[in-house]
Amino acid sequence: MVSACPTCGKGCKKVRRYALHHQLLAFKGNIDQMHTKLSRKMNMFMEQLYDGKIKLDKTFNDFRERLRPGPLAGRSNADLVRYRGNTLEEIQSSIRDFKDQVVQLFEDDIAKLAVFLGISPVFVDDLPDINLCYRLRFETLFFRSRLIIVEESLRMLGALRSLGDNSEHTTVLIQGLEALTTDEANINMKALNTIITECETKNLKRLEAETRLIQMCFHILLKDLGAASNLKVEGSLCRTLSLCRTYPDTAGVLLVTYNAIKLVLSGERRQGNLYTRGSRRIWWSWPVHKVGNLEECVHGHQYSASTWPGCPECGREVPPSPKPEPVNPKKFLDEDAFVVAMRTQTFSAASYRT
């Protein structure tokens, strides 16, 4: 805080105008510093999720080989399923706690400070637009972690069924795991509707497309389980494709993932992969930010100018190509000329036969 007036030298520790001025000067710097910390944290969690998924893939065959049929193996099989289902529990808890105890509080405090400074008479025009998106990104990471576990639960169900064991222990284990997996997929798919709505409100084009793809993955899992889904698939697919085409530099990196998921929905492929190179590229780029290079796009999204040439959420917009006007063939048809031509052609043919 400014300790004294630069003109008269009077102490101004308790003068409200100087206190507000000091907060305003530090406003952008505080967001810049937190952007660096939150970006590194996002990247760390994403790496942990990616490593966790790779670990689950590598250890699945070992898990399947350790399953045993028969009533005597019931407890052992249940322990294997429980341990595997809790593989990412620590990561999920870390993401949720950090989101609720750090990110949410930071965004709330910044919003309150912006309102407070906005109603003050001190340099109102210098206030940046505030459209913080950190919490939504951590929400997306959390649902990615839930998707990995639900996918793994479906694989474990397949392994248990392949035992061909009709004992009571195995039957109860399969039924319980199937019920839990179905409930989890439904809960997460419905919860993502709120995230999608917030993304639309905040103009987060890339994050909206990614969230819709995650939601469609939950829908696919419900179909594989034979459960009902209330997701309006066609509408969500059209919206996602529109985002990918309209914003090719941001949402467009998810076009490969979109195509893969669409093939799964049409039955041409068994599963889609959210972890393509394009979908990971932006997540890996967050920690590259250097303090002092924070910029805001026209929608108020904070991004690193040292990392991206433009906002990684909205980016360059390519308007859709206009639909061609329907052609009216009548305007190209001269009826009189057509009749004369046909008569001439008929006369020529008759003369040739003669």
Side-chain angles (χ1 to χ4, degrees):
M1 183 182 295
V2 180
S3 58
C5 175
T7 303
C8 64
K10 182 179 179 180
C12 51
K13 184 177 180 180
K14 297 182 180 180
V15 178
R16 182 172 181 271
R17 180 175 294 273
Y18 282 100
L20 292 175
H21 178 64
H22 175 75
Q23 291 186 48
L24 183 60
L25 291 176
F27 191 74
K28 288 185 178 181
N30 289 335
I31 296 180
D32 198 349
Q33 293 284 348
M34 285 302 295
H35 181 88
T36 304
K37 297 180 184 298
L38 297 180
S39 296
R40 290 174 180 171
K41 205 71 174 179
M42 277 192 294
N43 178 261
M44 183 194 76
F45 285 140
M46 187 63 180
E47 285 184 345
Q48 290 177 353
L49 288 179
Y50 188 60
D51 292 342
K53 180 173 174 57
I54 292 176
K55 180 182 177 182
L56 287 172
D57 291 340
K58 288 182 176 179
T59 59
F60 180 73
N61 288 335
D62 179 63
F63 162 78
R64 185 167 50 190
E65 290 173 0
R66 294 174 66 184
L67 294 174
R68 293 290 183 269
L72 296 179
R75 181 177 293 275
S76 174
N77 290 342
D79 289 341
L80 287 172
V81 170
R82 187 181 303 109
Y83 175 79
R84 193 168 181 82
N86 292 332
T87 302
L88 298 181
E89 182 62 32
E90 184 177 349
I91 302 174
Q92 291 177 15
S93 298
S94 298
I95 295 174
R96 182 176 57 247
D97 293 344
F98 187 79
K99 171 180 66 71
D100 294 340
Q101 299 173 13
V102 178
V103 182
Q104 183 68 65
L105 295 180
F106 166 70
E107 290 196 0
D108 290 345
D109 288 345
I110 287 293
K112 292 175 183 176
L113 181 59
V115 171
F116 179 65
L117 293 174
I119 62 174
S120 72
V122 183
F123 300 111
V124 177
D125 294 336
D126 291 341
L127 282 172
D129 292 328
I130 299 299
N131 193 356
L132 300 178
C133 322
Y134 304 108
R135 178 185 58 81
L136 288 175
R137 295 188 184 113
F138 280 95
E139 293 273 16
T140 305
L141 278 178
F142 178 77
F143 282 108
R144 270 181 176 260
S145 69
R146 297 309 305 156
L147 177 62
I148 293 173
I149 291 302
V150 174
E151 288 175 337
E152 191 59 32
S153 297
L154 189 62
R155 285 209 297 178
M156 289 192 290
L157 275 171
L160 288 169
R161 286 168 177 157
S162 67
L163 294 174
D165 182 15
N166 295 323
S167 65
E168 182 180 356
H169 291 82
T170 303
T171 302
V172 171
L173 180 59
I174 291 175
Q175 291 175 348
L177 182 58
E178 183 176 359
L180 287 173
T181 305
T182 303
D183 290 344
E184 189 68 29
N186 263 315
I187 290 170
N188 285 282
M189 193 179 69
K190 292 177 181 177
L192 283 167
N193 287 327
T194 304
I195 309 300
I196 290 172
T197 301
E198 288 192 69
C199 288
E200 291 175 342
T201 304
K202 290 177 173 286
N203 288 300
L204 298 168
K205 310 302 183 181
R206 185 202 61 81
L207 197 61
E208 180 191 344
E210 181 177 341
T211 307
R212 286 184 180 276
L213 291 173
I214 295 173
Q215 190 180 48
M216 278 185 263
C217 286
F218 281 114
H219 168 79
I220 291 170
L221 292 172
L222 284 172
K223 281 183 60 179
D224 292 342
L225 289 165
S229 169
N230 296 324
L231 180 65
K232 297 178 180 179
V233 180
E234 289 301 323
S236 190
L237 281 173
C238 290
R239 172 64 177 171
T240 305
L241 181 59
S242 175
L243 289 171
C244 291
R245 288 178 173 174
T246 307
Y247 302 92
D249 301 331
T250 53
V253 301
L254 298 167
L255 189 58
V256 175
T257 308
Y258 164 84
N259 290 330
I261 289 178
K262 189 175 181 181
L263 288 175
V264 176
L265 289 169
S266 62
E268 297 180 37
R269 284 182 58 175
R270 291 191 60 187
Q271 60 182 5
N273 182 17
L274 270 176
Y275 293 84
T276 59
R277 181 178 299 178
S279 67
R280 297 198 309 266
R281 181 168 60 86
I282 289 182
W283 287 99
W284 292 159
S285 301
W286 284 112
V288 187
H289 172 64
K290 297 178 181 178
V291 176
N293 290 279
L294 192 68
E295 298 288 344
E296 289 128 14
C297 70
V298 293
H299 295 122
H301 306 145
Q302 287 74 33
Y303 70 94
S304 174
S306 61
T307 307
W308 294 294
C311 177
E313 291 296 350
C314 40
R316 177 172 60 96
E317 182 176 357
V318 178
S321 302
K323 294 182 179 180
E325 295 183 3
V327 178
N328 182 10
K330 292 183 179 180
K331 69 179 183 179
F332 299 106
L333 181 61
D334 187 338
E335 188 174 351
D336 295 335
F338 175 75
V339 171
V340 171
M342 290 301 295
R343 286 176 177 173
T344 304
Q345 186 175 4
T346 304
F347 176 76
S348 299
S351 300
Y352 177 77
R353 287 196 298 270
T354 303

